[in-house]
Amino acid sequence: MKLKLYADRMSQPVRAVIIFCKKNGIDFEEIRVDIAKRQHLTTEYAEINPMKQLPAIVDGRFKLFESHAILVYLASSFPGVADHWYPADVFKRSKIHSVLDWHHSNLRRGPTTIVRNTVLAPVLGRPLNPEAAAEGEKFLSASLSKIESIWLKGNGRFLLGGNQPSIADLSLVCDIMQLELLGETERNRFLGPYKEVQQWIENTRNATNPHFDEVHKILMKAREKLQNLRLKGANNEGGESDMKRTLHSRI
Amino acid sequence: MKLKVYADRLSQPVRAVIIFCEVNGIEYEEIKVDLANREHLTPEFSEINPMQQLPAIVHGTFKLFESHAILIYLASSFPGVADHWYPDDVYKRSKIHSVLDWHHSNLRRGPITIVQNSILAPVFRRPLNPEAVAEGEKILSAALSKIESFWLDDNRPFLLGENQPSIADLSLVCDIMQVKLVGETDWNRLLGPYKKVQQWIENTRNATNPHFDELHKVLKELKEKLQN
């Protein structure tokens, strides 16, 4: 009865769940559901998650989707998960719920929106949409500012003044990592003003390596491909279908 | 150490928290923070909640915001809260988390978008925006459709096939109730196709009355005021 995790590592919430499992020695079978190939829209996958999104888990006969719910379930159900990930203390736990909820309506609407409407648009068969991307940028900046001044207040290395990471750190940092797809210049433009945020990302990465880097490899590879294809596309026509073909074969 | 709830009953998540307190006999002091008068944007309220949103609670020295986090905290901390609101069973509890999370990115954006760009626009000094209203209606319909076909079981009165309400039922129903502000005709148009949803709203109302009706009076009163 091994845990099954339905995953595409291009998805931020998927990465958070995988890193959590690896860090905590939770045995799981990773079942690839390729978003770019629209495998999440098949009737087979709808049996697993009728909302057709990733991640989803199946643990025995128990099915669950929504990454925060999954992280809380895993922290609560698997022995050996250190308390700091999802503390038993009701006050600490409530604050983590508060961050995770805030995330949905704030940070979550940033990186995904920017990336889907710019660099990943051709891969996902969507039109470029600079207006939508600009909306995403507003959410991102407002959120980073709030993380810098509110959630990272205090002397801790992690959110909420903690000295150890929680599922909230993992979830939010994985989301911000999606910005890597835009390339270093753009990423630095967004993160530049926020020194605490940059340090916190590094802290979270260090606390969960080597898994963090390993799980994010796909993003770095995709970034390289996208950069090369952009250069190629600048030199000749037909870049779009080239991009799609190459990304599908390499990711 | 009485619980303080910073509230404007015009806000759906505020209503969910107050109804929950009332139904479960949780003693609290309701402190009005008037959204229309922008009281949530004052430096005083920022001390309570730096995100400048409602609801927020203060319990002794403990401050908390985000209604789902608040509902979970109250269910976990106050004695006498029946298990069905936020079950101990990890499987049932996880499913509730799943609905509450789904809510943020799906239903939550529907009613608020409709109402803030139509009837409540003048109250918040915003322009009317029929395009945004249409967007909000699409979001609402898509969410209602998923509730009708997936979250609600054919034979059970509440979400996730349960016989008793949970904090998820309360949170989502309070959100849908916001649509009452646009009037009966539009309410019937938007909710009409979803028979199970309509029954579920009624079930949730019955399970939490008289508090449900009491808390939703503000919507009736505001609608009448705006129409005159």
Side-chain angles (χ1 to χ4, degrees):
Chain A
M1 211 188 70
K2 200 192 223 187
L3 177 74
K4 291 184 176 162
L5 172 59
Y6 292 79
D8 181 332
R9 293 181 178 203
M10 286 295 283
S11 147
Q12 311 92 295
V14 165
R15 294 195 298 267
V17 174
I18 293 179
I19 293 167
F20 183 80
C21 286
K22 288 184 179 267
K23 181 68 190 173
N24 288 288
I26 295 171
D27 217 16
F28 68 99
E29 178 191 351
E30 185 175 345
I31 299 170
R32 179 88 192 275
V33 179
D34 193 321
I35 296 174
K37 291 194 178 142
R38 304 176 93 108
Q39 287 174 354
H40 58 305
L41 301 176
T42 60
T43 31
E44 291 79 20
Y45 185 65
E47 291 288 308
I48 301 297
N49 180 3
M51 304 302 178
K52 306 191 197 184
Q53 291 177 316
L54 296 174
I57 59 167
V58 179
D59 195 8
R61 292 172 314 164
F62 180 63
K63 295 180 193 169
L64 192 65
F65 56 85
E66 283 294 338
S67 67
H68 295 170
I70 291 173
L71 288 165
V72 169
Y73 170 76
L74 296 176
S76 308
S77 311
F78 282 80
V81 175
D83 183 74
H84 61 79
W85 287 108
Y86 186 61
D89 174 81
V90 73
F91 299 106
K92 291 188 178 180
R93 182 175 280 206
S94 298
K95 295 277 183 168
I96 287 171
H97 287 151
S98 192
V99 184
L100 290 172
D101 286 344
W102 173 87
H103 178 44
H104 277 293
S105 323
N106 291 273
L107 178 64
R108 188 83 181 88
R109 296 176 66 188
T112 282
T113 309
I114 298 169
V115 149
R116 272 161 61 94
N117 288 291
T118 57
V119 291
L120 278 192
V123 180
L124 298 170
R126 294 164 61 93
L128 291 171
N129 190 338
E131 252 178 50
E135 262 309 295
E137 292 197 14
K138 272 170 41 191
F139 272 104
L140 176 62
S141 297
S143 301
L144 290 177
S145 169
K146 292 244 150 58
I147 295 171
E148 182 92 355
S149 61
I150 296 167
W151 295 121
L152 286 172
K153 231 166 83 162
N155 295 318
R157 289 160 50 229
F158 298 98
L159 297 172
L160 301 164
N163 275 318
Q164 302 258 49
S166 73
I167 55 179
D169 297 280
L170 202 44
S171 175
L172 274 64
V173 168
C174 283
D175 225 294
I176 297 173
M177 287 299 287
Q178 204 72 344
L179 296 174
E180 297 288 336
L181 286 172
L182 303 173
E184 253 183 79
T185 315
E186 278 298 278
R187 177 207 184 265
N188 293 341
R189 176 169 75 83
F190 287 120
L191 295 182
Y194 308 107
K195 303 295 176 224
E196 302 287 332
V197 167
Q198 290 177 57
Q199 184 59 59
W200 160 63
I201 292 170
E202 204 47 32
N203 295 342
T204 304
R205 183 176 166 254
N206 290 334
T208 53
N209 260 345
H211 314 293
F212 189 95
D213 284 349
E214 199 260 313
V215 175
H216 281 92
K217 255 202 282 212
I218 188 177
L219 213 58
M220 305 312 182
K221 271 198 204 148
R223 180 178 71 181
E224 260 180 65
K225 293 292 144 228
L226 289 168
Q227 270 167 348
N228 294 339
L229 289 164
R230 269 204 296 280
L231 292 172
K232 191 173 165 190
N235 295 330
N236 70 340
E237 304 288 315
E240 241 182 66
S241 45
D242 274 354
M243 222 186 264
K244 236 176 155 149
R245 246 196 326 268
T246 310
L247 274 164
H248 282 168
S249 63
R250 296 304 192 99
I251 293 176
Chain B
M1 214 184 73
K2 200 192 220 184
L3 178 73
K4 292 181 179 168
V5 179
Y6 291 80
D8 182 331
R9 293 178 177 203
L10 190 55
S11 148
Q12 312 90 295
V14 164
R15 294 195 298 268
V17 170
I18 295 182
I19 293 169
F20 183 81
C21 287
E22 293 283 347
V23 170
N24 288 289
I26 294 172
E27 238 186 84
Y28 68 98
E29 180 193 348
E30 183 177 349
I31 300 170
K32 178 98 189 267
V33 179
D34 194 320
L35 291 167
N37 284 336
R38 302 174 101 112
E39 285 175 11
H40 56 303
L41 302 176
T42 60
E44 293 77 24
F45 184 66
S46 300
E47 290 289 306
I48 303 298
N49 180 4
M51 301 301 180
Q52 306 181 313
Q53 292 175 316
L54 296 175
I57 61 166
V58 178
H59 196 203
T61 51
F62 181 62
K63 295 179 193 169
L64 191 65
F65 55 86
E66 283 295 339
S67 67
H68 296 170
I70 292 172
L71 288 165
I72 291 174
Y73 169 76
L74 296 176
S76 308
S77 311
F78 282 82
V81 174
D83 183 73
H84 60 79
W85 287 108
Y86 187 63
D88 269 337
D89 175 82
V90 74
Y91 300 107
K92 291 191 176 189
R93 183 176 278 206
S94 299
K95 296 276 181 167
I96 287 171
H97 289 154
S98 192
V99 184
L100 289 173
D101 286 343
W102 173 86
H103 178 42
H104 277 293
S105 325
N106 291 271
L107 177 64
R108 185 87 181 87
R109 296 173 55 198
I112 219 175
T113 307
I114 295 168
V115 145
Q116 282 197 349
N117 289 288
S118 59
I119 191 159
L120 281 191
V123 179
F124 291 100
R125 289 167 246 174
R126 294 161 64 99
L128 292 170
N129 188 339
E131 253 178 48
V133 172
E135 245 328 280
E137 291 198 1
K138 267 170 49 188
I139 294 171
L140 175 63
S141 296
L144 291 178
S145 170
K146 286 264 153 40
I147 296 171
E148 183 89 359
S149 62
F150 178 70
W151 293 118
L152 285 171
D153 198 285
D154 271 340
N155 300 316
R156 301 297 170 94
F158 298 101
L159 296 170
L160 300 164
E162 294 289 346
N163 283 322
Q164 303 255 49
S166 72
I167 55 179
D169 297 279
L170 201 45
S171 176
L172 273 64
V173 168
C174 284
D175 228 299
I176 298 172
M177 288 298 287
Q178 203 74 343
V179 178
K180 286 275 182 187
L181 279 173
V182 297
E184 279 305 303
T185 316
D186 283 311
W187 168 272
N188 292 336
R189 175 175 60 85
L190 291 164
L191 275 281
Y194 310 107
K195 304 291 177 232
K196 285 199 276 186
V197 167
Q198 292 177 56
Q199 184 59 60
W200 162 63
I201 292 171
E202 204 48 34
N203 297 339
T204 305
R205 182 174 168 254
N206 290 334
T208 55
N209 259 346
H211 313 291
F212 188 95
D213 283 349
E214 170 64 38
L215 264 291
H216 283 91
K217 258 202 286 204
V218 70
L219 294 180
K220 273 206 194 112
E221 287 163 5
L222 181 59
K223 198 173 85 192
E224 275 159 23
K225 202 163 123 191
L226 292 170
Q227 272 168 352
N228 298 338

PDB file of all heavy atoms in Angstrom, chain A residues 78-102:
ATOM      1  N   PHE A  78       2.081  10.189   8.752  1.00  0.00           N
ATOM      2  CA  PHE A  78       3.288   9.382   8.638  1.00  0.00           C
ATOM      3  C   PHE A  78       4.180   9.586   9.852  1.00  0.00           C
ATOM      4  O   PHE A  78       4.468  10.721  10.231  1.00  0.00           O
ATOM      5  CB  PHE A  78       4.033   9.712   7.338  1.00  0.00           C
ATOM      6  CG  PHE A  78       3.402   9.074   6.135  1.00  0.00           C
ATOM      7  CD1 PHE A  78       2.285   9.646   5.537  1.00  0.00           C
ATOM      8  CD2 PHE A  78       3.899   7.883   5.612  1.00  0.00           C
ATOM      9  CE1 PHE A  78       1.672   9.038   4.441  1.00  0.00           C
ATOM     10  CE2 PHE A  78       3.300   7.279   4.512  1.00  0.00           C
ATOM     11  CZ  PHE A  78       2.192   7.854   3.934  1.00  0.00           C
ATOM     12  N   PRO A  79       4.608   8.464  10.464  1.00  0.00           N
ATOM     13  CA  PRO A  79       5.458   8.589  11.642  1.00  0.00           C
ATOM     14  C   PRO A  79       6.813   9.159  11.238  1.00  0.00           C
ATOM     15  O   PRO A  79       7.215   9.049  10.085  1.00  0.00           O
ATOM     16  CB  PRO A  79       5.618   7.135  12.106  1.00  0.00           C
ATOM     17  CG  PRO A  79       5.392   6.302  10.901  1.00  0.00           C
ATOM     18  CD  PRO A  79       4.429   7.051  10.040  1.00  0.00           C
ATOM     19  N   GLY A  80       7.496   9.762  12.153  1.00  0.00           N
ATOM     20  CA  GLY A  80       8.849  10.240  11.865  1.00  0.00           C
ATOM     21  C   GLY A  80       8.891  11.614  11.227  1.00  0.00           C
ATOM     22  O   GLY A  80       9.965  12.114  10.914  1.00  0.00           O
ATOM     23  N   VAL A  81       7.725  12.250  11.010  1.00  0.00           N
ATOM     24  CA  VAL A  81       7.753  13.613  10.483  1.00  0.00           C
ATOM     25  C   VAL A  81       7.983  14.556  11.666  1.00  0.00           C
ATOM     26  O   VAL A  81       7.194  14.578  12.604  1.00  0.00           O
ATOM     27  CB  VAL A  81       6.427  13.969   9.769  1.00  0.00           C
ATOM     28  CG1 VAL A  81       6.443  15.436   9.352  1.00  0.00           C
ATOM     29  CG2 VAL A  81       6.207  13.084   8.557  1.00  0.00           C
ATOM     30  N   ALA A  82       9.075  15.304  11.610  1.00  0.00           N
ATOM     31  CA  ALA A  82       9.403  16.189  12.731  1.00  0.00           C
ATOM     32  C   ALA A  82       8.308  17.229  12.939  1.00  0.00           C
ATOM     33  O   ALA A  82       7.681  17.697  11.990  1.00  0.00           O
ATOM     34  CB  ALA A  82      10.741  16.876  12.473  1.00  0.00           C
ATOM     35  N   ASP A  83       8.095  17.575  14.205  1.00  0.00           N
ATOM     36  CA  ASP A  83       6.988  18.451  14.597  1.00  0.00           C
ATOM     37  C   ASP A  83       6.998  19.807  13.896  1.00  0.00           C
ATOM     38  O   ASP A  83       5.947  20.386  13.637  1.00  0.00           O
ATOM     39  CB  ASP A  83       7.021  18.657  16.118  1.00  0.00           C
ATOM     40  CG  ASP A  83       5.866  19.507  16.640  1.00  0.00           C
ATOM     41  OD1 ASP A  83       4.737  18.993  16.686  1.00  0.00           O
ATOM     42  OD2 ASP A  83       6.091  20.687  16.978  1.00  0.00           O
ATOM     43  N   HIS A  84       8.191  20.325  13.583  1.00  0.00           N
ATOM     44  CA  HIS A  84       8.258  21.697  13.049  1.00  0.00           C
ATOM     45  C   HIS A  84       7.565  21.840  11.696  1.00  0.00           C
ATOM     46  O   HIS A  84       7.220  22.940  11.293  1.00  0.00           O
ATOM     47  CB  HIS A  84       9.713  22.186  12.955  1.00  0.00           C
ATOM     48  CG  HIS A  84      10.602  21.360  12.047  1.00  0.00           C
ATOM     49  ND1 HIS A  84      10.591  21.495  10.683  1.00  0.00           N
ATOM     50  CD2 HIS A  84      11.529  20.408  12.333  1.00  0.00           C
ATOM     51  CE1 HIS A  84      11.479  20.650  10.149  1.00  0.00           C
ATOM     52  NE2 HIS A  84      12.057  19.985  11.129  1.00  0.00           N
ATOM     53  N   TRP A  85       7.357  20.733  10.988  1.00  0.00           N
ATOM     54  CA  TRP A  85       6.696  20.821   9.684  1.00  0.00           C
ATOM     55  C   TRP A  85       5.237  21.230   9.845  1.00  0.00           C
ATOM     56  O   TRP A  85       4.712  22.012   9.059  1.00  0.00           O
ATOM     57  CB  TRP A  85       6.788  19.491   8.937  1.00  0.00           C
ATOM     58  CG  TRP A  85       8.167  19.237   8.432  1.00  0.00           C
ATOM     59  CD1 TRP A  85       9.065  18.320   8.907  1.00  0.00           C
ATOM     60  CD2 TRP A  85       8.840  19.921   7.364  1.00  0.00           C
ATOM     61  NE1 TRP A  85      10.246  18.393   8.210  1.00  0.00           N
ATOM     62  CE2 TRP A  85      10.132  19.366   7.257  1.00  0.00           C
ATOM     63  CE3 TRP A  85       8.470  20.952   6.491  1.00  0.00           C
ATOM     64  CZ2 TRP A  85      11.055  19.801   6.300  1.00  0.00           C
ATOM     65  CZ3 TRP A  85       9.386  21.389   5.549  1.00  0.00           C
ATOM     66  CH2 TRP A  85      10.668  20.809   5.463  1.00  0.00           C
ATOM     67  N   TYR A  86       4.566  20.708  10.880  1.00  0.00           N
ATOM     68  CA  TYR A  86       3.152  21.000  11.127  1.00  0.00           C
ATOM     69  C   TYR A  86       2.931  20.772  12.623  1.00  0.00           C
ATOM     70  O   TYR A  86       2.489  19.714  13.049  1.00  0.00           O
ATOM     71  CB  TYR A  86       2.285  20.072  10.282  1.00  0.00           C
ATOM     72  CG  TYR A  86       0.806  20.371  10.341  1.00  0.00           C
ATOM     73  CD1 TYR A  86       0.306  21.606   9.913  1.00  0.00           C
ATOM     74  CD2 TYR A  86      -0.107  19.424  10.810  1.00  0.00           C
ATOM     75  CE1 TYR A  86      -1.049  21.889   9.961  1.00  0.00           C
ATOM     76  CE2 TYR A  86      -1.471  19.696  10.857  1.00  0.00           C
ATOM     77  CZ  TYR A  86      -1.936  20.929  10.440  1.00  0.00           C
ATOM     78  OH  TYR A  86      -3.288  21.201  10.488  1.00  0.00           O
ATOM     79  N   PRO A  87       3.288  21.795  13.426  1.00  0.00           N
ATOM     80  CA  PRO A  87       3.349  21.599  14.876  1.00  0.00           C
ATOM     81  C   PRO A  87       2.035  21.173  15.512  1.00  0.00           C
ATOM     82  O   PRO A  87       0.955  21.596  15.077  1.00  0.00           O
ATOM     83  CB  PRO A  87       3.764  22.981  15.400  1.00  0.00           C
ATOM     84  CG  PRO A  87       4.314  23.711  14.241  1.00  0.00           C
ATOM     85  CD  PRO A  87       3.651  23.160  13.030  1.00  0.00           C
ATOM     86  N   ALA A  88       2.155  20.391  16.558  1.00  0.00           N
ATOM     87  CA  ALA A  88       0.981  19.977  17.316  1.00  0.00           C
ATOM     88  C   ALA A  88       0.394  21.159  18.098  1.00  0.00           C
ATOM     89  O   ALA A  88      -0.805  21.213  18.342  1.00  0.00           O
ATOM     90  CB  ALA A  88       1.351  18.847  18.275  1.00  0.00           C
ATOM     91  N   ASP A  89       1.241  22.112  18.462  1.00  0.00           N
ATOM     92  CA  ASP A  89       0.798  23.289  19.215  1.00  0.00           C
ATOM     93  C   ASP A  89      -0.243  24.068  18.406  1.00  0.00           C
ATOM     94  O   ASP A  89       0.038  24.505  17.282  1.00  0.00           O
ATOM     95  CB  ASP A  89       2.009  24.182  19.510  1.00  0.00           C
ATOM     96  CG  ASP A  89       1.608  25.491  20.168  1.00  0.00           C
ATOM     97  OD1 ASP A  89       1.398  25.492  21.386  1.00  0.00           O
ATOM     98  OD2 ASP A  89       1.485  26.496  19.449  1.00  0.00           O
ATOM     99  N   VAL A  90      -1.437  24.250  18.975  1.00  0.00           N
ATOM    100  CA  VAL A  90      -2.554  24.823  18.211  1.00  0.00           C
ATOM    101  C   VAL A  90      -2.293  26.261  17.758  1.00  0.00           C
ATOM    102  O   VAL A  90      -2.775  26.684  16.703  1.00  0.00           O
ATOM    103  CB  VAL A  90      -3.889  24.713  19.002  1.00  0.00           C
ATOM    104  CG1 VAL A  90      -3.925  25.709  20.156  1.00  0.00           C
ATOM    105  CG2 VAL A  90      -5.079  24.937  18.089  1.00  0.00           C
ATOM    106  N   PHE A  91      -1.508  27.000  18.541  1.00  0.00           N
ATOM    107  CA  PHE A  91      -1.231  28.391  18.159  1.00  0.00           C
ATOM    108  C   PHE A  91      -0.294  28.436  16.951  1.00  0.00           C
ATOM    109  O   PHE A  91      -0.548  29.146  15.973  1.00  0.00           O
ATOM    110  CB  PHE A  91      -0.645  29.170  19.338  1.00  0.00           C
ATOM    111  CG  PHE A  91      -1.586  29.219  20.517  1.00  0.00           C
ATOM    112  CD1 PHE A  91      -1.351  28.453  21.650  1.00  0.00           C
ATOM    113  CD2 PHE A  91      -2.731  30.002  20.465  1.00  0.00           C
ATOM    114  CE1 PHE A  91      -2.222  28.484  22.725  1.00  0.00           C
ATOM    115  CE2 PHE A  91      -3.617  30.037  21.544  1.00  0.00           C
ATOM    116  CZ  PHE A  91      -3.365  29.274  22.675  1.00  0.00           C
ATOM    117  N   LYS A  92       0.777  27.641  17.007  1.00  0.00           N
ATOM    118  CA  LYS A  92       1.727  27.606  15.880  1.00  0.00           C
ATOM    119  C   LYS A  92       1.025  27.068  14.635  1.00  0.00           C
ATOM    120  O   LYS A  92       1.194  27.572  13.523  1.00  0.00           O
ATOM    121  CB  LYS A  92       2.911  26.700  16.214  1.00  0.00           C
ATOM    122  CG  LYS A  92       3.820  27.243  17.284  1.00  0.00           C
ATOM    123  CD  LYS A  92       5.066  26.382  17.426  1.00  0.00           C
ATOM    124  CE  LYS A  92       5.992  26.984  18.485  1.00  0.00           C
ATOM    125  NZ  LYS A  92       7.213  26.177  18.646  1.00  0.00           N
ATOM    126  N   ARG A  93       0.246  26.027  14.825  1.00  0.00           N
ATOM    127  CA  ARG A  93      -0.451  25.388  13.720  1.00  0.00           C
ATOM    128  C   ARG A  93      -1.412  26.360  13.040  1.00  0.00           C
ATOM    129  O   ARG A  93      -1.495  26.431  11.819  1.00  0.00           O
ATOM    130  CB  ARG A  93      -1.196  24.181  14.272  1.00  0.00           C
ATOM    131  CG  ARG A  93      -1.948  23.371  13.254  1.00  0.00           C
ATOM    132  CD  ARG A  93      -2.537  22.163  13.903  1.00  0.00           C
ATOM    133  NE  ARG A  93      -1.539  21.118  14.051  1.00  0.00           N
ATOM    134  CZ  ARG A  93      -1.814  19.817  14.120  1.00  0.00           C
ATOM    135  NH1 ARG A  93      -3.089  19.430  14.056  1.00  0.00           N
ATOM    136  NH2 ARG A  93      -0.869  18.927  14.268  1.00  0.00           N
ATOM    137  N   SER A  94      -2.134  27.128  13.851  1.00  0.00           N
ATOM    138  CA  SER A  94      -3.093  28.089  13.309  1.00  0.00           C
ATOM    139  C   SER A  94      -2.408  29.147  12.463  1.00  0.00           C
ATOM    140  O   SER A  94      -2.927  29.566  11.434  1.00  0.00           O
ATOM    141  CB  SER A  94      -3.850  28.783  14.444  1.00  0.00           C
ATOM    142  OG  SER A  94      -4.579  27.836  15.189  1.00  0.00           O
ATOM    143  N   LYS A  95      -1.237  29.580  12.905  1.00  0.00           N
ATOM    144  CA  LYS A  95      -0.501  30.572  12.130  1.00  0.00           C
ATOM    145  C   LYS A  95      -0.072  29.989  10.785  1.00  0.00           C
ATOM    146  O   LYS A  95      -0.075  30.687   9.763  1.00  0.00           O
ATOM    147  CB  LYS A  95       0.728  31.064  12.907  1.00  0.00           C
ATOM    148  CG  LYS A  95       0.385  31.816  14.191  1.00  0.00           C
ATOM    149  CD  LYS A  95       0.057  33.272  13.938  1.00  0.00           C
ATOM    150  CE  LYS A  95      -0.212  34.007  15.229  1.00  0.00           C
ATOM    151  NZ  LYS A  95      -0.262  35.461  15.101  1.00  0.00           N
ATOM    152  N   ILE A  96       0.275  28.723  10.780  1.00  0.00           N
ATOM    153  CA  ILE A  96       0.643  28.072   9.518  1.00  0.00           C
ATOM    154  C   ILE A  96      -0.572  28.011   8.596  1.00  0.00           C
ATOM    155  O   ILE A  96      -0.478  28.305   7.399  1.00  0.00           O
ATOM    156  CB  ILE A  96       1.244  26.675   9.769  1.00  0.00           C
ATOM    157  CG1 ILE A  96       2.652  26.840  10.345  1.00  0.00           C
ATOM    158  CG2 ILE A  96       1.270  25.831   8.504  1.00  0.00           C
ATOM    159  CD1 ILE A  96       3.283  25.561  10.837  1.00  0.00           C
ATOM    160  N   HIS A  97      -1.735  27.677   9.143  1.00  0.00           N
ATOM    161  CA  HIS A  97      -2.964  27.685   8.344  1.00  0.00           C
ATOM    162  C   HIS A  97      -3.200  29.081   7.769  1.00  0.00           C
ATOM    163  O   HIS A  97      -3.623  29.235   6.621  1.00  0.00           O
ATOM    164  CB  HIS A  97      -4.185  27.312   9.190  1.00  0.00           C
ATOM    165  CG  HIS A  97      -4.249  25.863   9.556  1.00  0.00           C
ATOM    166  ND1 HIS A  97      -4.858  25.403  10.700  1.00  0.00           N
ATOM    167  CD2 HIS A  97      -3.794  24.750   8.923  1.00  0.00           C
ATOM    168  CE1 HIS A  97      -4.764  24.092  10.766  1.00  0.00           C
ATOM    169  NE2 HIS A  97      -4.126  23.660   9.707  1.00  0.00           N
ATOM    170  N   SER A  98      -2.934  30.089   8.569  1.00  0.00           N
ATOM    171  CA  SER A  98      -3.145  31.466   8.154  1.00  0.00           C
ATOM    172  C   SER A  98      -2.272  31.800   6.932  1.00  0.00           C
ATOM    173  O   SER A  98      -2.743  32.362   5.948  1.00  0.00           O
ATOM    174  CB  SER A  98      -2.816  32.379   9.329  1.00  0.00           C
ATOM    175  OG  SER A  98      -3.250  33.691   9.095  1.00  0.00           O
ATOM    176  N   VAL A  99      -0.994  31.427   6.974  1.00  0.00           N
ATOM    177  CA  VAL A  99      -0.095  31.657   5.826  1.00  0.00           C
ATOM    178  C   VAL A  99      -0.572  30.882   4.608  1.00  0.00           C
ATOM    179  O   VAL A  99      -0.629  31.418   3.506  1.00  0.00           O
ATOM    180  CB  VAL A  99       1.351  31.187   6.102  1.00  0.00           C
ATOM    181  CG1 VAL A  99       2.259  31.542   4.922  1.00  0.00           C
ATOM    182  CG2 VAL A  99       1.900  31.794   7.363  1.00  0.00           C
ATOM    183  N   LEU A 100      -0.892  29.607   4.815  1.00  0.00           N
ATOM    184  CA  LEU A 100      -1.305  28.764   3.685  1.00  0.00           C
ATOM    185  C   LEU A 100      -2.566  29.311   3.030  1.00  0.00           C
ATOM    186  O   LEU A 100      -2.692  29.301   1.801  1.00  0.00           O
ATOM    187  CB  LEU A 100      -1.518  27.318   4.154  1.00  0.00           C
ATOM    188  CG  LEU A 100      -0.257  26.547   4.552  1.00  0.00           C
ATOM    189  CD1 LEU A 100      -0.635  25.202   5.186  1.00  0.00           C
ATOM    190  CD2 LEU A 100       0.662  26.312   3.362  1.00  0.00           C
ATOM    191  N   ASP A 101      -3.507  29.807   3.820  1.00  0.00           N
ATOM    192  CA  ASP A 101      -4.734  30.381   3.269  1.00  0.00           C
ATOM    193  C   ASP A 101      -4.415  31.677   2.517  1.00  0.00           C
ATOM    194  O   ASP A 101      -4.899  31.900   1.403  1.00  0.00           O
ATOM    195  CB  ASP A 101      -5.739  30.689   4.391  1.00  0.00           C
ATOM    196  CG  ASP A 101      -6.393  29.424   4.946  1.00  0.00           C
ATOM    197  OD1 ASP A 101      -6.315  28.372   4.279  1.00  0.00           O
ATOM    198  OD2 ASP A 101      -6.985  29.496   6.042  1.00  0.00           O
ATOM    199  N   TRP A 102      -3.626  32.532   3.150  1.00  0.00           N
ATOM    200  CA  TRP A 102      -3.236  33.797   2.535  1.00  0.00           C
ATOM    201  C   TRP A 102      -2.572  33.541   1.185  1.00  0.00           C
ATOM    202  O   TRP A 102      -2.823  34.238   0.199  1.00  0.00           O
ATOM    203  CB  TRP A 102      -2.283  34.537   3.480  1.00  0.00           C
ATOM    204  CG  TRP A 102      -1.676  35.777   2.905  1.00  0.00           C
ATOM    205  CD1 TRP A 102      -2.200  37.044   2.928  1.00  0.00           C
ATOM    206  CD2 TRP A 102      -0.428  35.878   2.199  1.00  0.00           C
ATOM    207  NE1 TRP A 102      -1.353  37.922   2.286  1.00  0.00           N
ATOM    208  CE2 TRP A 102      -0.263  37.230   1.842  1.00  0.00           C
ATOM    209  CE3 TRP A 102       0.568  34.953   1.838  1.00  0.00           C
ATOM    210  CZ2 TRP A 102       0.862  37.688   1.130  1.00  0.00           C
ATOM    211  CZ3 TRP A 102       1.686  35.402   1.130  1.00  0.00           C
ATOM    212  CH2 TRP A 102       1.818  36.762   0.786  1.00  0.00           C
TER     213      TRP A 102
END
